[in-house]
Amino acid sequence: MDLSVIVAVHNEVDNIAPFTAEIRAALDGKLDFEIVYVDDGSTDGTAEALVEAQKTIPELVVFTHETRCGKTRALIDGIRRARAETVVTMDGDCQDNPVNIETMWAVVTKSGQPDPKAVVCAWRRNRRDSWWRKFISRIANKIRAGLLGDKTPDSGCGFKMFNRDAFLELPRFDNMHRFLPALFLKYGCEITSVDVHHRPRAGGKSKYGTLDRLWVSVWDLLGVMWLQRRTTY
């Protein structure tokens, strides 16, 4: 298998059918792939929508958390269960465009085979969110780049492609998904950012408050700075 697409979702019932179909259409006939959804304790019918989607999308694999564990835990569980050496993580809100997976795959395989040290990060240069969300994100990205040297203009974006085993070697903690470029750099990986098409949210609503996210990230940032100085591989 070439690629495992990992999507962690919580209460995204309206986006399941269109997004799973989009991913399959973008990859069908190009790669040997699976689509791994982790339903993180949804209460809105997301689980039922995933069961229905499996009837028409044989590549779809579903794992369920009985209670909400958080995005990082859901991503870790999905990546652990992935069958491919290369994984791509995506948000389940339909804002990431699956057509960009092919561009990211070309970077990872530029030597002919998937490079286990290659990490590709999406860059939402033309981000389709509110001005406030874009403003807060810009501040957070600049702080991370300045203090962590993560060489990534949009490190908070959840759309990333990397080697599964390299990820599982990283120190794991809550909210680690926001700091993956810095963690991968410490592991010896090469970070590449590529422009992607970003879209307005099609349905559902964001699970995070921007100010709450920024406050939590301050403590996480201090922890990652400590890890950069203390972690060895």
Side-chain angles (χ1 to χ4, degrees):
M1 181 169 291
D2 298 312
L3 183 68
S4 295
V5 183
I6 312 296
V7 187
V9 289
H10 175 76
N11 289 349
E12 295 286 1
V13 61
D14 294 332
N15 294 320
I16 298 300
F19 198 49
T20 51
E22 262 197 309
I23 296 171
R24 187 173 193 269
L27 299 178
D28 193 31
K30 300 174 181 176
L31 296 173
D32 183 11
F33 67 97
E34 64 177 351
I35 306 170
V36 180
Y37 263 71
V38 181
D39 175 19
D40 189 32
S42 295
T43 58
D44 68 340
T46 292
E48 292 77 8
L50 285 167
V51 170
E52 189 65 25
Q54 284 182 301
K55 296 177 181 179
T56 56
I57 301 177
E59 298 86 359
L60 179 58
V61 181
V62 178
F63 298 98
T64 302
H65 289 167
E66 293 300 323
T67 58
R68 192 177 184 185
C69 300
K71 184 174 180 178
T72 292
R73 179 76 261 171
L75 288 174
I76 291 172
D77 286 348
I79 293 168
R80 277 177 172 167
R81 291 167 170 81
R83 290 183 289 161
E85 291 184 1
T86 304
V87 301
V88 59
T89 59
M90 306 182 75
D91 292 338
D93 54 14
C94 286
Q95 290 193 264
D96 297 331
N97 193 331
V99 299
N100 295 125
I101 294 176
E102 191 172 0
T103 302
M104 301 170 92
W105 178 255
V107 175
V108 168
T109 60
K110 62 183 179 181
S111 64
Q113 295 293 328
D115 182 352
K117 293 294 186 180
V119 176
V120 185
C121 302
W123 184 0
R124 302 165 294 183
R125 197 190 294 263
N126 185 25
R127 185 171 176 176
R128 303 297 299 276
D129 278 319
S130 69
W131 71 269
W132 175 248
R133 190 172 293 276
K134 289 189 286 187
F135 173 71
I136 293 296
S137 179
R138 190 175 297 117
I139 292 175
N141 283 322
K142 285 186 177 297
I143 291 174
R144 281 191 288 259
L147 295 180
L148 301 178
D150 62 13
K151 302 179 181 179
T152 311
D154 194 4
S155 59
C157 180
F159 194 5
K160 295 180 173 70
M161 185 177 290
F162 46 83
N163 179 268
R164 173 187 177 274
D165 291 341
F167 174 86
L168 294 176
E169 288 286 336
L170 300 178
R172 294 188 286 278
F173 54 91
D174 197 21
N175 291 320
M176 70 172 287
H177 63 277
R178 303 190 193 286
F179 301 93
L180 286 180
L183 296 171
F184 274 121
L185 278 173
K186 181 66 178 177
Y187 185 77
C189 293
E190 179 181 350
I191 311 296
T192 302
S193 294
V194 298
D195 286 351
V196 297
H197 305 101
H198 193 245
R199 307 177 292 192
R201 175 178 267 276
K205 61 181 181 179
S206 175
K207 311 304 183 295
Y208 307 99
T210 50
L211 288 178
D212 292 342
R213 187 186 322 193
L214 190 61
W215 175 247
V216 170
S217 292
V218 170
W219 295 106
D220 293 333
L221 180 65
L222 294 174
V224 175
M225 292 173 66
W226 181 87
L227 283 171
Q228 284 182 317
R229 289 161 174 77
R230 302 294 294 178
T231 301
T232 59
Y233 290 101

